[in-house]
C-alpha cells in the first residue's frame, strides 16, 4: 500500500457498528444454540437482535452511505475474474469500499445470516422450544424451516472461515490491514472518498427496524 496517500473516511460509523455487532450476534447464536452458553432464551433474544440489525442493514443498503449501498456491491463476474487475475498487483487503495470479491462475500454473509435468522422464527425442536412464528404456519413449513436452520450452520461457519482467511491473506501477503479500516473507518486511497450519510438517519432506520421486529414478535406471541 502506498503510504504517501492520504487516509480518507471510507466506512461510516453505523456500518462499522453494525459489522462488530453482527460478529457478536453470530458468536452468541452459536454459543447459545450449539455450546450451551447461557440459556436458549438468550438464543431467541440474540436472534431477534440479529434480525433487527439485518433489517437495518437492508435499509442502510438503500438509504445509507455510498460505500454501504447495495448498488456498489453488485458487480459482474467479469470484474470479479479480472480482480482475481490481477489480485497481487491491485492495492486496496483503488477501492473506496469493497473490492469485487469482498463485495460478493459481504452479500453472501448477509444473505446466509438473514436466512438463518428468519428460518429460526419458524423452527421448532418439537419438544420445548418453538420459534415465535411456528404456530402460524403448517407443520410442513415448520419442518422445512427447521431443516434450513440446521443446514445453515455449516454454511455460515464456512463463510466466516473464508472471511477470516481472506483478511489474513491480505495482511500477510499484501500487508493490507482490513480490520483496522473497519475499526476507524479510514483508508489511504487514490480515488475520491465516498459520500457518507449522517448518523441521525441511521438511528431512525434502526428504530424502524426494531419496531418492526418487536411488533411482529408481540403479535406472534
Amino acid at each position: 500500500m502506498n503510504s504517501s496517500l492520504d487516509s480518507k473516511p471510507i466506512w461510516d460509523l453505523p456500518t462499522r457498528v453494525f459489522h462488530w455487532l453482527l460478529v457478536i450476534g453470530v458468536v452468541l447464536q452459536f454459543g447459545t444454540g450449539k455450546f450451551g452458553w447461557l440459556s436458549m432464551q438468550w438464543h431467541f433474544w440474540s436472534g431477534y437482535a440479529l434480525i433487527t440489525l439485518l433489517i437495518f442493514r437492508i435499509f442502510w443498503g438503500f438509504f445509507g452511505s455510498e460505500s454501504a449501498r447495495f448498488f456498489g456491491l453488485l458487480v459482474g463476474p467479469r470484474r470479479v475474474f479480472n480482480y482475481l487475475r490481477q489480485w497481487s498487483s491491485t492495492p486496496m487503495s483503488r477501492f473506496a469500499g469493497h473490492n469485487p470479491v469482498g463485495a460478493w462475500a459481504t452479500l453472501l454473509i448477509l444473505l446466509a445470516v438473514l436466512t438463518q435468522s428468519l428460518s429460526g422464527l419458524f423452527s421448532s425442536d418439537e419438544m420445548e422450544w418453538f420459534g415465535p412464528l411456528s404456530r402460524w404456519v403448517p407443520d410442513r413449513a415448520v419442518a422445512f424451516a427447521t431443516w434450513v436452520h440446521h443446514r445453515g450452520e455449516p454454511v455460515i461457519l464456512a463463510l466466516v472461515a473464508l472471511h477470516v482467511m481472506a483478511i489474513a491473506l491480505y495482511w500477510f501477503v499484501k500487508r493490507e490491514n482490513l480490520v483496522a479500516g473497519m475499526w476507524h473507518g479510514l483508508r489511504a486511497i487514490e480515488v475520491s472518498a465516498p459520500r457518507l450519510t449522517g448518523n441521525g438517519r441511521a438511528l431512525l432506520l434502526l428504530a424502524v427496524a426494531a419496531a418492526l421486529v418487536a411488533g411482529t414478535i408481540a403479535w406472534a406471541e
Side-chain angles (χ1 to χ4, degrees), residues 82-92 94 174:
N82 288 338
Y83 175 74
L84 288 173
R85 186 165 53 87
Q86 302 172 4
W87 178 79
S88 61
S89 60
T90 305
M92 286 297 293
R94 295 185 184 178
K174 302 185 68 171

Side-chain angles (χ1 to χ4, degrees), residues 61-82:
F62 291 101
F63 305 111
S65 303
E66 281 186 340
S67 54
R69 294 198 177 188
F70 292 136
F71 75 83
L73 299 178
L74 296 173
V75 298
R78 179 175 297 180
R79 284 185 60 189
V80 174
F81 174 77
N82 288 338

